[in-house]
Amino acid sequence: MAAMGVCASSGKQVVYQGELRARCETQGGGRDCRMFNLTPHRAFIESFVPHVTGTRVMLRFNLPNGHQVCANGVVSNYNFAEGFDVDFTDLSSADREQIVGLVG
C-alpha cells in the first residue's frame, strides 16, 4: 500500500512513502533493492550493507504509473544494516515532474 505524507527528516516536504523496486548501480557493480521516502530530490535505499557517504550511484526504477526513472546521485547518509540516502545529482526534468506528480 502506498502513502504520501510529510516525513520529519524531509523538512516538511511531501514524500512518497510507498515501496518501489529499484536497481542501484555503482562502478563496482549493481544490485536490486527497495526504495522508500522518494522526493524530487532524494530517496532512501534499503540495504543491509549500505554504500558509504560520498559514493556515486545510478538508480533505475519505475513509478506506479509505469514511468521509468534513471537518476544519478550521491550517498549523503548511511546506517549499517538499514540503508542509505541518495541525493539526486542528475535527474531529467521529465523524471522530476513525474515524481512531483506522484508525491503531490
Side-chain angles (χ1 to χ4, degrees), residues 3-22:
M4 262 97 34
V6 177
C7 181
S9 65
S10 70
K12 299 196 181 206
Q13 181 176 5
V14 178
V15 176
Y16 178 75
Q17 296 175 333
E19 172 189 328
L20 297 172
R21 303 299 294 174

Side-chain angles (χ1 to χ4, degrees), residues 23 25 35 38-43 55-61 67-75 86-97 99:
R23 177 80 180 163
E25 298 179 358
M35 182 171 60
L38 176 65
T39 76
H41 306 286
R42 68 184 334 194
T55 302
R56 295 190 179 281
V57 298
M58 182 177 67
L59 295 173
R60 293 183 183 167
F61 56 94
H67 180 84
Q68 184 176 40
V69 176
C70 183
N72 292 314
V74 63
V75 175
V86 173
D87 290 343
F88 299 134
T89 58
D90 183 23
L91 181 66
S92 75
S93 59
D95 289 345
R96 190 174 308 279
E97 288 176 15
I99 293 170

Side-chain angles (χ1 to χ4, degrees), residues 12-53:
K12 299 196 181 206
Q13 181 176 5
V14 178
V15 176
Y16 178 75
Q17 296 175 333
E19 172 189 328
L20 297 172
R21 303 299 294 174
R23 177 80 180 163
C24 180
E25 298 179 358
T26 64
Q27 283 189 335
R31 59 184 166 210
D32 294 327
C33 55
R34 295 190 313 167
M35 182 171 60
F36 299 91
N37 299 341
L38 176 65
T39 76
H41 306 286
R42 68 184 334 194
F44 178 79
I45 308 301
E46 182 181 70
S47 177
F48 185 73
V49 181
H51 295 297
V52 296
T53 302

